[in-house]
Amino acid sequence: MKKKFTLEIANPCTENFDEMIPNAKGSFCDSCAKNVIDFSNKTNSEIARIILESKGKNICARLKTTQLEEEFEYNESSKINNFKYAAIAASVLLTSTVIGQEKTPVETEISVPKLANHIVGKIAFNAEPEEKISITVKGKILDSKTNRPLNNKTYPNLMLTINDSATLFKVNAKTGKFSVPIFVLKSTKSLIIAIKSNDYYLSKTIPFDVKLVRENVFLQDISVDTEQGTKVYMLGGLGINYIDRKGIKEI
């Protein structure tokens, strides 16, 4: 029988997951002497399997806030029954394959369709690709309310990326300064700035004009409203809400 459930963290933890020591079961938290399982990088089926195997146990986990809105599902059938069903299915499949091979005649000739030798139509041509230029974006990340660098205690390990680049660049904690090399098209009119700090994420689009580039450097301070930042991850003791036909029962 299939059972559905949702996840919750009633009392989020403020410990820094990045400073925990990774091990085979997750990451070890010195503060509470527990292993923390990182659900944020697991699929729904992997999470369901862990919940099933850990039923009745206290789980401390790190997960994406979006996972708190998802509904998970697992099958309560025993492993023995699952093994029997798998063995029967494999036997049926093997038998079907053998019978199919006995009944299927061997093909001795293969018909190959003739390809057309001529194509009629207008001649198309590829326009030359637009030129890319290499620049470095330099500036400061500043709090829009104070016009000062972001508080390093609230936003530790501040990193920045531009235009969805896979490479993150460190922001100076004291001055807010950053320097990011990128390639842009000459026709580019805006840059997408993604700012990350441990569990927080903020994205902002800023205007760009290639005419303002001087000696391959584009100077631009970035003012951010910290209240618009999104908490991407949550850490703490995991609650499981099992869903039945009558409603939701929390365990």
Side-chain angles (χ1 to χ4, degrees):
M1 184 178 72
K2 291 184 177 180
K3 293 204 71 172
K4 296 181 179 181
F5 64 92
T6 59
L7 303 175
E8 74 166 7
I9 293 181
N11 299 303
C13 176
T14 57
E15 295 297 321
N16 188 347
F17 182 81
D18 294 328
E19 294 180 357
M20 296 181 187
I21 303 172
N23 57 37
K25 296 182 179 180
S27 292
F28 187 77
C29 175
D30 285 329
S31 178
C32 56
K34 286 184 179 180
N35 275 317
V36 180
I37 304 174
D38 190 359
F39 279 6
S40 67
N41 58 10
K42 298 187 183 301
T43 64
N44 285 13
S45 59
E46 288 175 327
I47 292 173
R49 178 181 56 79
I50 294 172
I51 296 299
L52 179 60
E53 294 175 350
S54 307
K55 200 167 184 179
K57 299 178 181 179
N58 292 326
I59 302 175
C60 194
R62 178 193 190 233
L63 45 77
K64 294 179 182 177
T65 53
T66 53
Q67 289 175 310
L68 296 174
E69 304 168 2
E70 295 184 30
E71 191 174 280
F72 301 84
E73 183 179 86
Y74 68 81
N75 198 328
E76 278 194 317
S77 298
S78 67
K79 293 182 179 179
I80 295 176
N81 288 336
N82 285 340
F83 177 76
K84 288 181 179 179
Y85 295 147
I88 293 171
S91 176
V92 172
L93 178 61
L94 179 60
T95 304
S96 301
T97 303
V98 172
I99 294 173
Q101 289 176 347
E102 290 177 353
K103 292 183 177 181
T104 304
V106 178
E107 294 185 2
T108 56
E109 295 183 3
I110 300 175
S111 298
V112 180
K114 293 183 179 180
L115 299 177
N117 294 324
H118 305 285
I119 298 177
V120 179
K122 293 182 179 180
I123 298 176
F125 65 93
N126 296 323
E128 292 185 3
E130 190 175 353
E131 182 182 355
K132 282 185 177 182
I133 58 173
S134 173
I135 67 170
T136 299
V137 182
K138 291 184 177 183
K140 295 180 181 179
I141 301 292
L142 301 173
D143 189 322
S144 60
K145 292 183 178 179
T146 63
N147 202 36
R148 297 175 61 84
L150 302 186
N151 188 310
N152 188 41
K153 291 183 178 180
T154 307
Y155 302 98
N157 305 318
L158 201 62
M159 307 290 283
L160 179 146
T161 185
I162 299 178
N163 288 352
D164 297 323
S165 169
T167 305
L168 289 168
F169 294 87
K170 193 172 183 62
V171 178
N172 187 294
K174 293 183 178 180
T175 64
K177 289 184 177 181
F178 65 88
S179 178
V180 179
I182 61 170
F183 285 94
V184 294
L185 298 175
K186 284 188 173 182
S187 60
T188 299
K189 299 299 180 184
S190 61
L191 302 175
I192 301 174
I193 311 296
I195 302 168
K196 301 179 181 181
S197 170
N198 282 9
D199 296 342
Y200 286 90
Y201 174 87
L202 188 145
S203 180
K204 183 172 184 176
T205 301
I206 63 171
F208 173 79
D209 188 344
V210 71
K211 295 179 181 178
L212 298 179
V213 175
R214 298 288 182 271
E215 297 182 355
N216 295 331
V217 174
F218 179 67
L219 293 175
Q220 178 69 59
D221 288 346
I222 301 172
S223 180
V224 298
D225 183 354
T226 55
E227 293 181 359
Q228 294 181 355
T230 302
K231 191 170 180 60
V232 180
Y233 301 101
M234 192 172 289
L235 186 72
L238 198 63
I240 316 296
N241 297 319
Y242 291 99
I243 303 171
D244 54 29
R245 294 179 180 178
K246 297 179 182 179
I248 298 178
K249 182 180 179 182
E250 183 176 339
I251 297 181

